[in-house]
Amino acid sequence: PTTRLCCKWLQRQISAHGPSSLRVLDYGAGSGVLGLAALTFGAEEAVGVEIDRGSIKAAQSNAALNGLGLRCYLPSEAAEDAETAADLRYAAQLRRDSGLDSADDILPLPPSDSDFDLTVANILAGPLVRLAPELARLTKAGGRLGLSGVLHTQSEEVGAAYSALFDDVKVEEQEGDWVLITGVRKS
């Protein structure tokens, strides 16, 4: 249900803007479904961010199979969250130790690649809470946020993590025990 909640939200947001130059960030992209859906719905650009390199390769493959230009990256090394930064350093060390780092390897999201009109993240509540500053950094002022992977019982905690950075943070939709939380990036 969480992917469906996010897809419906993306479709509503993109339809409301009409044909436009919307930039969409799919944070925690997995196989790229949400980024690919955004492009299919009419977004000009979609970027996926994922911590799992295998998932990034799957997302790139899915994009190629569908003739869509989804760009995928590892999280930015500029992530402000200390736990995220520690995870990134650990992942970089594993890549170096295993010999996976190369010039043509998957790169981190460039720190300058921000100001997304729409940011969607369909991951678990704990990581969403920790990622609030990073998702705010990546979303332009006035940009819209859609979060799922959150149980109704977790919505208050997740909403509280975003309310200092986003206006109008609320549960917009619920399907069974799962919710979609939305907000608008503060100026």
Side-chain angles (χ1 to χ4, degrees):
T2 60
T3 301
R4 184 171 36 251
L5 287 167
C6 290
C7 278
K8 288 174 14 181
W9 178 79
L10 281 168
Q11 189 171 30
R12 284 192 305 269
Q13 296 303 310
I14 294 167
S15 293
H17 285 86
S20 65
S21 59
L22 285 177
R23 298 183 70 229
V24 177
L25 175 64
D26 176 6
Y27 205 99
S31 62
V33 169
L34 296 176
L36 295 173
L39 291 168
T40 301
F41 297 148
E44 180 176 298
E45 179 184 12
V47 172
V49 173
E50 175 58 56
I51 62 171
D52 179 71
R53 301 167 80 73
S55 292
I56 291 173
K57 291 182 181 187
Q60 291 170 331
S61 176
N62 289 337
L65 287 170
N66 287 282
L68 297 170
L70 177 67
R71 293 183 295 124
C72 295
Y73 298 98
L74 292 165
S76 169
E77 292 175 356
E80 294 175 14
D81 175 88
E83 188 171 344
T84 301
D87 289 346
L88 292 173
R89 284 192 299 276
Y90 178 68
Q93 185 62 48
L94 288 177
R95 287 194 307 273
R96 281 190 297 276
D97 292 349
S98 65
L100 289 176
D101 266 343
S102 69
D104 62 346
D105 208 5
I106 300 166
L107 300 173
L109 180 69
S112 61
D113 202 352
S114 59
D115 291 334
F116 288 93
D117 301 291
L118 301 175
T119 297
V120 63
N122 184 23
I123 52 182
L124 298 175
L128 283 175
V129 168
R130 291 190 303 273
L131 286 166
E134 180 66 357
L135 296 184
R137 182 184 74 78
L138 294 167
T139 307
K140 77 177 194 177
R144 300 193 174 274
L145 176 74
L147 306 172
S148 199
V150 179
L151 292 167
H152 181 27
T153 57
Q154 301 166 323
S155 62
E156 202 169 300
E157 176 189 8
V158 174
Y162 285 82
S163 62
L165 305 162
F166 290 81
D167 288 321
D168 198 27
V169 175
K170 65 183 180 199
V171 172
E172 184 170 307
E173 193 170 349
Q174 182 169 345
E175 189 171 322
D177 291 336
W178 299 98
V179 297
L180 172 77
I181 298 172
T182 61
V184 178
R185 181 71 171 103
K186 290 182 179 183
S187 300

Short mmCIF file of all heavy atoms in Angstrom, two decimals, residues 81-114:
data_model
loop_
_atom_site.label_atom_id
_atom_site.label_comp_id
_atom_site.label_asym_id
_atom_site.label_seq_id
_atom_site.Cartn_x
_atom_site.Cartn_y
_atom_site.Cartn_z
N ASP A 81 22.96 14.58 8.74
CA ASP A 81 22.64 13.66 9.83
C ASP A 81 23.88 12.83 10.17
O ASP A 81 24.49 12.21 9.31
CB ASP A 81 21.49 12.75 9.38
CG ASP A 81 21.16 11.69 10.38
OD1 ASP A 81 20.35 11.96 11.27
OD2 ASP A 81 21.74 10.60 10.28
N ALA A 82 24.27 12.85 11.44
CA ALA A 82 25.50 12.17 11.86
C ALA A 82 25.45 10.67 11.59
O ALA A 82 26.43 10.08 11.16
CB ALA A 82 25.74 12.43 13.35
N GLU A 83 24.30 10.05 11.83
CA GLU A 83 24.19 8.61 11.59
C GLU A 83 24.29 8.30 10.11
O GLU A 83 24.96 7.36 9.70
CB GLU A 83 22.88 8.08 12.16
CG GLU A 83 22.79 6.57 12.12
CD GLU A 83 21.59 6.04 12.87
OE1 GLU A 83 20.99 6.77 13.67
OE2 GLU A 83 21.27 4.87 12.65
N THR A 84 23.65 9.12 9.28
CA THR A 84 23.74 8.94 7.84
C THR A 84 25.18 9.13 7.38
O THR A 84 25.69 8.34 6.58
CB THR A 84 22.81 9.92 7.11
OG1 THR A 84 21.47 9.71 7.55
CG2 THR A 84 22.88 9.74 5.60
N ALA A 85 25.85 10.15 7.87
CA ALA A 85 27.24 10.40 7.49
C ALA A 85 28.13 9.23 7.91
O ALA A 85 29.00 8.81 7.15
CB ALA A 85 27.73 11.70 8.13
N ALA A 86 27.90 8.68 9.10
CA ALA A 86 28.68 7.52 9.54
C ALA A 86 28.42 6.32 8.64
O ALA A 86 29.35 5.58 8.28
CB ALA A 86 28.35 7.18 11.00
N ASP A 87 27.17 6.11 8.26
CA ASP A 87 26.83 5.02 7.35
C ASP A 87 27.53 5.19 6.01
O ASP A 87 28.03 4.23 5.41
CB ASP A 87 25.31 4.94 7.11
CG ASP A 87 24.55 4.45 8.33
OD1 ASP A 87 25.18 3.90 9.27
OD2 ASP A 87 23.31 4.60 8.33
N LEU A 88 27.58 6.43 5.52
CA LEU A 88 28.23 6.70 4.24
C LEU A 88 29.73 6.45 4.31
O LEU A 88 30.31 5.91 3.38
CB LEU A 88 27.95 8.13 3.79
CG LEU A 88 26.50 8.42 3.42
CD1 LEU A 88 26.31 9.91 3.17
CD2 LEU A 88 26.09 7.62 2.21
N ARG A 89 30.35 6.87 5.41
CA ARG A 89 31.79 6.61 5.57
C ARG A 89 32.06 5.11 5.60
O ARG A 89 33.01 4.62 4.99
CB ARG A 89 32.31 7.28 6.84
CG ARG A 89 32.49 8.78 6.69
CD ARG A 89 33.28 9.39 7.86
NE ARG A 89 32.61 9.20 9.13
CZ ARG A 89 31.65 10.00 9.60
NH1 ARG A 89 31.26 11.04 8.90
NH2 ARG A 89 31.10 9.76 10.78
N TYR A 90 31.21 4.36 6.31
CA TYR A 90 31.36 2.91 6.39
C TYR A 90 31.19 2.28 5.00
O TYR A 90 31.98 1.42 4.59
CB TYR A 90 30.34 2.33 7.37
CG TYR A 90 30.38 0.83 7.48
CD1 TYR A 90 31.47 0.18 8.05
CD2 TYR A 90 29.32 0.06 7.02
CE1 TYR A 90 31.51 -1.20 8.14
CE2 TYR A 90 29.35 -1.32 7.11
CZ TYR A 90 30.44 -1.95 7.67
OH TYR A 90 30.48 -3.31 7.76
N ALA A 91 30.17 2.72 4.26
CA ALA A 91 29.94 2.19 2.91
C ALA A 91 31.11 2.51 2.00
O ALA A 91 31.54 1.66 1.20
CB ALA A 91 28.64 2.75 2.34
N ALA A 92 31.65 3.73 2.11
CA ALA A 92 32.81 4.10 1.29
C ALA A 92 34.02 3.22 1.62
O ALA A 92 34.75 2.79 0.73
CB ALA A 92 33.14 5.57 1.50
N GLN A 93 34.22 2.95 2.91
CA GLN A 93 35.32 2.09 3.33
C GLN A 93 35.15 0.68 2.77
O GLN A 93 36.10 0.07 2.28
CB GLN A 93 35.44 2.04 4.86
CG GLN A 93 36.64 1.25 5.34
CD GLN A 93 37.96 1.86 4.87
OE1 GLN A 93 38.17 3.06 5.01
NE2 GLN A 93 38.84 1.06 4.31
N LEU A 94 33.93 0.14 2.83
CA LEU A 94 33.67 -1.19 2.26
C LEU A 94 33.95 -1.21 0.77
O LEU A 94 34.52 -2.19 0.26
CB LEU A 94 32.21 -1.60 2.52
CG LEU A 94 31.84 -1.97 3.94
CD1 LEU A 94 30.34 -2.28 4.03
CD2 LEU A 94 32.65 -3.17 4.42
N ARG A 95 33.57 -0.13 0.06
CA ARG A 95 33.84 -0.07 -1.38
C ARG A 95 35.34 -0.07 -1.65
O ARG A 95 35.83 -0.76 -2.54
CB ARG A 95 33.18 1.16 -2.00
CG ARG A 95 31.68 1.05 -2.12
CD ARG A 95 31.09 2.13 -3.03
NE ARG A 95 31.46 3.48 -2.68
CZ ARG A 95 30.83 4.24 -1.81
NH1 ARG A 95 29.81 3.77 -1.15
NH2 ARG A 95 31.23 5.47 -1.58
N ARG A 96 36.08 0.72 -0.87
CA ARG A 96 37.54 0.76 -1.05
C ARG A 96 38.15 -0.61 -0.74
O ARG A 96 38.98 -1.11 -1.48
CB ARG A 96 38.16 1.84 -0.16
CG ARG A 96 38.01 3.24 -0.70
CD ARG A 96 38.84 4.24 0.07
NE ARG A 96 38.43 4.37 1.46
CZ ARG A 96 37.44 5.14 1.88
NH1 ARG A 96 36.76 5.86 1.02
NH2 ARG A 96 37.14 5.20 3.16
N ASP A 97 37.74 -1.20 0.37
CA ASP A 97 38.30 -2.50 0.79
C ASP A 97 38.00 -3.60 -0.22
O ASP A 97 38.79 -4.52 -0.39
CB ASP A 97 37.75 -2.91 2.16
CG ASP A 97 38.25 -2.01 3.28
OD1 ASP A 97 39.18 -1.20 3.04
OD2 ASP A 97 37.69 -2.11 4.40
N SER A 98 36.84 -3.53 -0.86
CA SER A 98 36.46 -4.59 -1.80
C SER A 98 36.92 -4.30 -3.22
O SER A 98 36.71 -5.12 -4.12
CB SER A 98 34.94 -4.77 -1.78
OG SER A 98 34.32 -3.61 -2.26
N GLY A 99 37.53 -3.12 -3.44
CA GLY A 99 37.99 -2.78 -4.78
C GLY A 99 36.87 -2.33 -5.70
O GLY A 99 37.05 -2.28 -6.91
N LEU A 100 35.70 -2.00 -5.14
CA LEU A 100 34.57 -1.59 -5.97
C LEU A 100 34.66 -0.15 -6.44
O LEU A 100 33.99 0.23 -7.39
CB LEU A 100 33.25 -1.81 -5.23
CG LEU A 100 32.82 -3.26 -5.03
CD1 LEU A 100 31.56 -3.32 -4.19
CD2 LEU A 100 32.61 -3.94 -6.37
N ASP A 101 35.43 0.68 -5.76
CA ASP A 101 35.53 2.07 -6.19
C ASP A 101 36.30 2.14 -7.50
O ASP A 101 37.39 1.60 -7.62
CB ASP A 101 36.27 2.91 -5.14
CG ASP A 101 35.33 3.60 -4.19
OD1 ASP A 101 34.13 3.70 -4.51
OD2 ASP A 101 35.79 4.03 -3.13
N SER A 102 35.72 2.79 -8.47
CA SER A 102 36.38 3.01 -9.75
C SER A 102 35.80 4.27 -10.37
O SER A 102 34.75 4.75 -9.95
CB SER A 102 36.20 1.81 -10.68
OG SER A 102 34.85 1.71 -11.09
N ALA A 103 36.44 4.75 -11.38
CA ALA A 103 36.01 6.01 -12.01
C ALA A 103 34.61 5.89 -12.60
O ALA A 103 33.89 6.87 -12.66
CB ALA A 103 37.00 6.41 -13.09
N ASP A 104 34.22 4.69 -13.03
CA ASP A 104 32.90 4.54 -13.64
C ASP A 104 31.89 3.97 -12.65
O ASP A 104 30.82 3.56 -13.03
CB ASP A 104 32.99 3.66 -14.88
CG ASP A 104 33.46 2.25 -14.57
OD1 ASP A 104 33.97 2.01 -13.46
OD2 ASP A 104 33.30 1.39 -15.44
N ASP A 105 32.22 3.98 -11.37
CA ASP A 105 31.35 3.43 -10.36
C ASP A 105 30.22 4.41 -10.05
O ASP A 105 30.24 5.56 -10.46
CB ASP A 105 32.16 3.14 -9.09
CG ASP A 105 31.58 2.00 -8.29
OD1 ASP A 105 30.60 1.37 -8.74
OD2 ASP A 105 32.11 1.75 -7.21
N ILE A 106 29.24 3.95 -9.29
CA ILE A 106 28.12 4.78 -8.88
C ILE A 106 28.62 5.87 -7.96
O ILE A 106 29.38 5.62 -7.04
CB ILE A 106 27.06 3.91 -8.19
CG1 ILE A 106 26.57 2.82 -9.15
CG2 ILE A 106 25.90 4.77 -7.69
CD1 ILE A 106 25.79 1.72 -8.47
N LEU A 107 28.19 7.09 -8.20
CA LEU A 107 28.67 8.23 -7.45
C LEU A 107 27.65 8.71 -6.43
O LEU A 107 26.45 8.47 -6.58
CB LEU A 107 28.98 9.38 -8.42
CG LEU A 107 30.05 9.07 -9.47
CD1 LEU A 107 30.13 10.22 -10.47
CD2 LEU A 107 31.38 8.84 -8.81
N PRO A 108 28.11 9.44 -5.41
CA PRO A 108 27.16 10.07 -4.49
C PRO A 108 26.44 11.22 -5.18
O PRO A 108 26.95 11.82 -6.12
CB PRO A 108 28.04 10.61 -3.36
CG PRO A 108 29.39 10.06 -3.57
CD PRO A 108 29.49 9.61 -5.00
N LEU A 109 25.25 11.52 -4.70
CA LEU A 109 24.50 12.66 -5.20
C LEU A 109 25.34 13.91 -5.00
O LEU A 109 25.80 14.19 -3.90
CB LEU A 109 23.19 12.80 -4.40
CG LEU A 109 22.26 13.94 -4.80
CD1 LEU A 109 21.65 13.70 -6.17
CD2 LEU A 109 21.17 14.12 -3.76
N PRO A 110 25.59 14.67 -6.08
CA PRO A 110 26.38 15.89 -5.92
C PRO A 110 25.71 16.84 -4.93
O PRO A 110 24.49 17.04 -5.00
CB PRO A 110 26.39 16.49 -7.33
CG PRO A 110 26.06 15.36 -8.24
CD PRO A 110 25.17 14.45 -7.46
N PRO A 111 26.47 17.43 -4.01
CA PRO A 111 25.87 18.34 -3.02
C PRO A 111 25.11 19.49 -3.66
O PRO A 111 24.17 20.02 -3.09
CB PRO A 111 27.06 18.86 -2.23
CG PRO A 111 28.12 17.84 -2.41
CD PRO A 111 27.89 17.25 -3.78
N SER A 112 25.50 19.88 -4.87
CA SER A 112 24.83 20.98 -5.56
C SER A 112 23.50 20.54 -6.18
O SER A 112 22.71 21.37 -6.61
CB SER A 112 25.73 21.53 -6.65
OG SER A 112 26.02 20.51 -7.59
N ASP A 113 23.26 19.22 -6.25
CA ASP A 113 22.03 18.71 -6.85
C ASP A 113 20.94 18.72 -5.79
O ASP A 113 20.74 17.76 -5.07
CB ASP A 113 22.24 17.31 -7.42
CG ASP A 113 21.21 16.96 -8.48
OD1 ASP A 113 20.26 17.74 -8.67
OD2 ASP A 113 21.37 15.91 -9.12
N SER A 114 20.26 19.86 -5.68
CA SER A 114 19.19 20.00 -4.70
C SER A 114 18.09 20.82 -5.33
O SER A 114 17.99 20.89 -6.55
CB SER A 114 19.73 20.64 -3.41
OG SER A 114 20.27 21.91 -3.69
#
